């Protein structure tokens, strides 16, 4: 789980950014500014992650986080719990 605010990054959601969520057992496309706690966000290849998210399932997930760390390498992520 990456909480961007805990590491000092204040990411602003740009109006017009959209994402896919699962609500009421249906996949819906919504504006990122309409995300609410409890939404399940579906992330696909090349998607920009628009909010703090907790992974509940991931398969071969690599994320480029240079905008946070300055490092251009991709980081492997899993849905396993961490301390």
């Amino acid at each position: 789980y990456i909480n961007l605010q805990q590491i000092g990054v204040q990411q602003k959601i740009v109006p017009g950014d959209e994402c896919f969520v699962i609500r009421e057992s249906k996949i819906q496309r919504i504006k990122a500014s309409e995300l609410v706690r409890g939404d399940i966000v579906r992330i696909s290849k090349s998607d920009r992650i628009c909010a703090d998210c907790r992974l509940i399932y991931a398969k071969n997930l690599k994320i480029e986080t240079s905008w946070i760390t300055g490092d251009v390498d991709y980081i492997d992520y899993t849905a396993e719990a961490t301390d």
Side-chain angles (χ1 to χ4, degrees):
Y1 177 66
I2 301 173
N3 184 333
L4 299 178
Q5 292 177 343
Q6 285 181 345
I7 60 173
V9 175
Q10 298 291 326
Q11 181 182 20
K12 295 182 179 177
I13 297 174
V14 178
D17 280 1
E18 295 182 336
C19 60
F20 289 96
V21 298
I22 300 172
R23 288 184 179 168
E24 300 172 3
S25 301
K26 296 178 184 175
I27 297 175
Q28 302 176 27
R29 186 178 190 154
I30 65 167
K31 291 182 180 179
S33 60
E34 296 172 354
L35 282 170
V36 296
R37 184 180 299 237
D39 277 341
I40 298 174
V41 180
R42 189 186 76 181
I43 301 170
S44 299
K45 185 177 181 176
S46 300
D47 281 354
R48 192 171 129 194
I49 300 171
C50 55
D52 289 344
C53 297
R54 178 172 298 183
L55 294 174
I56 55 175
Y57 175 80
K59 181 177 179 183
N60 301 322
L61 178 62
K62 294 177 184 281
I63 300 177
E64 185 266 317
T65 58
S66 63
W67 61 276
I68 298 173
T69 64
D71 190 2
V72 295
D73 292 333
Y74 285 82
I75 299 172
D76 293 314
Y77 283 89
T78 67
E80 296 174 9
T82 60
D83 293 331

